[in-house]
Amino acid sequence: MKLKIETKKKYWVLLFLTVVIAAFLRFYQLGINPPALTWDEAAWGYNAYSIGINGQDEFGRFLPLDFLESFGDFKPPIYAYLDIIPVKIFGLNEFAARFPSALFGTLTVLLTFFLVRRIFQRSKNKELIALLSAFFLAISPWHILLSRAAFEANIATFFIIAGVWAFLAGIQDRRWYLIISAIFFALSFYTFNTARIVSPLLVLILTLAFRKELLIRKKETISALILGALIVFPIIGFLISPQAGLRFKEVNIFSDINVVKTANQEIANDQNAFWSKLIHNRRVLYSIQFVKHYFDNLNPNFLFIKGDGNPKFSTQDVGQMYIFDIVFFISGILFLFRKKEGNWWIIPLWLLIGIIPAATARETPHALRIETTLPTFQIFVAYGFIQLINKIEKYRKFIVYCLLLILSVNFVYFYHNYFSHYSHQYSGEWQYGYKESIDYVKSVENNFDYIQVTNALGRPYIYYLFYTKTNPDEFRKTADIQRDAFGFVTVKSFGKYIFPTDYNYSLSKTKKVLYINTPYKLPENIKIQKTFYLLNGQAVLVAYTI
């Protein structure tokens, strides 16, 4: 008995250390690495700032629940609400904007331990599997990068994990946790569009698998169903609206007209034969595209070698996982299907479901869109690691130490690259230069009637709102806002700031104008006031007058 108690204490100590490591890797240099804010991050921060002042979002909607209108991308709103308190405490800055993602990323590591214990409740190795799963998630390049920027997908991942954990707790020994599960799953609808597909599918599978247990717990099940429905109800109208499908239409493979053109051409080549219409039917081609895009997200190069092609989601020289993980990931899958311990089937089904939304997008693989699959990858690795180690009888400790050394080398390589080189290599991918140019503008703007800013880096107005801490009421009073037929929002100007599609130099004939532009194809005879550089020394913006 004493040995068991001491073993439990050891696990709690190791869990605490794991969470501390996770917190460090997510909060260390959070305000300066990544080196700048994306426009979505700036939008989250400013909307939190605006709602925190008078309950209205950027465009004046009072306590919106269905969406935040942002650049025509109708965002689920919960991230902005979670960011209100950090912005109040730390001010409107990079650290505050990213705080919810880093916090929930850390909590996700902690929750993974309790989730895995529930999944393998009757396994003699449940604590060890749970601890290793949490640890592998804590040091995961994938999860670290997505926890260090204001990605709402990171919040969705937490809510989905919490929903599955509470569901299993409700089935196993704490009936009323079914209600908590319903709350978490329902809240995920307010976090990320992908969760609106993944959560219902997971709930459906869990309900079918545990239907007998749910029938025994009728009162708790009905209460959970009603509460979940009530929480989701305010956004039902939006979910069936044209605006909700706007982003999907923009990025999905089914709106790719080239597939239809290819199908028609192939049929024409076969003289419109009936069999050709079957083989080259556009539905068949779209299905093939879906399967291809689905398995792109399981590509070994993506998972273990290079990672996502977008530097926001990967350092480009380390995969979404480590090379160390390959053997244990594969063996984990094989051992799990062979041993079938506990509610093992949840893990592969969760992974398969989590990829479905991303498979409909044109851009694959995509680490952000499949983040809701985490921590299934890490659970497979942890399970495979333990099973393989248990098969070894001679020199077990030595082999374990050797394996941990290999993992340490993988981790140190990633850590050094990320915290020493990443910002300098990829500052341009993070719209670096806006903050520096705005700091300069604030110091001289009283000398000018207007500030004209290029759109070349994307969405400049939100950066000016963010870094000047513009009062939301003042913004709404002075803003020239245009909305096109597709719902996209363009802010042409507010106050003395102008954001033209094409530069208008005629204004400088009668007014004092400061121009902020990229250093390419500048007009002749300008007076350069200041040049702004990326961290690699490349010029990115120039301030000048005519």
Side-chain angles (χ1 to χ4, degrees), residues 109-133:
V109 172
L110 175 63
L111 192 58
T112 293
F113 174 83
F114 295 103
L115 167 71
V116 176
R117 282 210 314 175
R118 288 288 178 183
I119 292 175
F120 297 104
Q121 189 184 36
R122 296 180 181 177
S123 172
K124 64 179 182 179
N125 293 317
K126 66 179 181 180
E127 276 86 7
L128 188 54
I129 300 170
L131 186 63
L132 275 179
S133 298

Side-chain angles (χ1 to χ4, degrees), residues 387-504:
Q387 294 301 322
L388 284 179
I389 293 303
N390 285 340
K391 295 289 183 181
I392 300 170
E393 295 182 0
K394 290 185 177 181
Y395 311 112
R396 179 179 295 176
K397 283 189 177 182
F398 175 75
I399 292 173
V400 169
Y401 290 144
C402 289
L403 289 172
L404 291 179
L405 177 61
I406 295 171
L407 176 59
S408 298
V409 171
N410 278 193
F411 171 73
V412 169
Y413 180 79
F414 161 75
Y415 178 91
H416 173 73
N417 185 45
Y418 182 75
F419 287 104
S420 298
H421 304 297
Y422 177 82
S423 290
H424 288 79
Q425 288 178 311
Y426 298 111
S427 61
E429 300 289 337
W430 290 88
Q431 286 70 53
Y432 190 88
Y434 269 134
K435 179 181 180 181
E436 292 69 26
S437 64
I438 294 170
D439 286 342
Y440 171 74
V441 166
K442 287 192 295 184
S443 70
V444 300
E445 65 179 342
N446 290 336
N447 301 328
F448 297 93
D449 299 311
Y450 294 103
I451 315 295
Q452 197 166 152
V453 184
T454 180
N455 281 287
L457 300 188
R459 324 294 189 186
Y461 89 90
I462 195 63
Y463 291 95
Y464 275 79
L465 289 175
F466 186 97
Y467 287 115
T468 63
K469 299 179 175 61
T470 301
N471 183 282
D473 287 330
E474 185 65 23
F475 164 67
R476 290 188 285 268
K477 287 177 184 177
T478 63
D480 177 9
I481 302 170
Q482 296 181 3
R483 292 174 173 82
D484 63 22
F486 300 100
F488 290 100
V489 179
T490 301
V491 176
K492 306 293 289 185
S493 67
F494 74 87
K496 63 168 60 178
Y497 305 115
I498 303 173
F499 312 102
T501 303
D502 297 312
Y503 259 46
N504 177 17

Side-chain angles (χ1 to χ4, degrees), residues 85-244:
I85 293 177
V87 167
K88 288 286 187 183
I89 295 174
F90 304 111
L92 187 56
N93 54 45
E94 293 87 349
F95 181 85
R98 293 167 174 166
F99 186 89
S101 185
L103 175 62
F104 278 81
T106 303
L107 293 176
T108 298
V109 172
L110 175 63
L111 192 58
T112 293
F113 174 83
F114 295 103
L115 167 71
V116 176
R117 282 210 314 175
R118 288 288 178 183
I119 292 175
F120 297 104
Q121 189 184 36
R122 296 180 181 177
S123 172
K124 64 179 182 179
N125 293 317
K126 66 179 181 180
E127 276 86 7
L128 188 54
I129 300 170
L131 186 63
L132 275 179
S133 298
F135 176 71
F136 289 147
L137 186 65
I139 64 171
S140 162
W142 192 345
H143 197 248
I144 290 170
L145 263 67
L146 296 189
S147 297
R148 291 183 59 84
F151 293 129
E152 64 271 34
N154 210 41
I155 310 298
T157 298
F158 171 84
F159 282 137
I160 290 173
I161 292 172
V164 177
W165 163 75
F167 186 95
L168 292 176
I171 291 297
Q172 291 167 355
D173 52 33
R174 300 182 180 182
R175 294 185 171 210
W176 287 103
Y177 272 50
L178 290 173
I179 295 176
I180 297 175
S181 175
I183 293 172
F184 281 127
F185 277 124
L187 286 176
S188 72
F189 277 68
Y190 292 84
T191 56
F192 190 53
N193 289 323
T194 295
R196 293 170 174 175
I197 299 173
V198 174
S199 288
L201 290 176
L202 276 175
V203 170
L204 177 62
I205 288 174
L206 290 171
T207 300
L208 292 175
F210 294 104
R211 58 189 180 278
K212 293 181 181 179
E213 290 83 353
L214 292 173
L215 286 173
I216 295 172
R217 298 159 176 79
K218 286 183 180 179
K219 182 164 60 175
E220 295 83 1
T221 301
I222 293 172
S223 298
L225 181 63
I226 292 173
L227 183 57
L230 288 174
I231 294 174
V232 173
F233 181 76
I235 63 169
I236 294 297
F238 171 72
L239 292 179
I240 60 177
S241 70
Q243 290 89 345

Side-chain angles (χ1 to χ4, degrees), residues 482-541:
Q482 296 181 3
R483 292 174 173 82
D484 63 22
F486 300 100
F488 290 100
V489 179
T490 301
V491 176
K492 306 293 289 185
S493 67
F494 74 87
K496 63 168 60 178
Y497 305 115
I498 303 173
F499 312 102
T501 303
D502 297 312
Y503 259 46
N504 177 17
Y505 289 109
S506 62
L507 189 62
S508 62
K509 294 178 180 180
T510 57
K511 302 291 183 180
K512 293 181 179 179
V513 183
L514 178 67
Y515 296 93
I516 307 294
N517 203 350
T518 57
Y520 312 108
K521 297 181 180 179
L522 295 176
E524 296 180 357
N525 302 320
I526 62 173
K527 299 175 183 177
I528 294 179
Q529 306 297 314
K530 192 173 180 64
T531 302
F532 308 95
Y533 299 90
L534 298 177
L535 292 176
N536 64 5
Q538 179 183 344
V540 63
L541 289 171

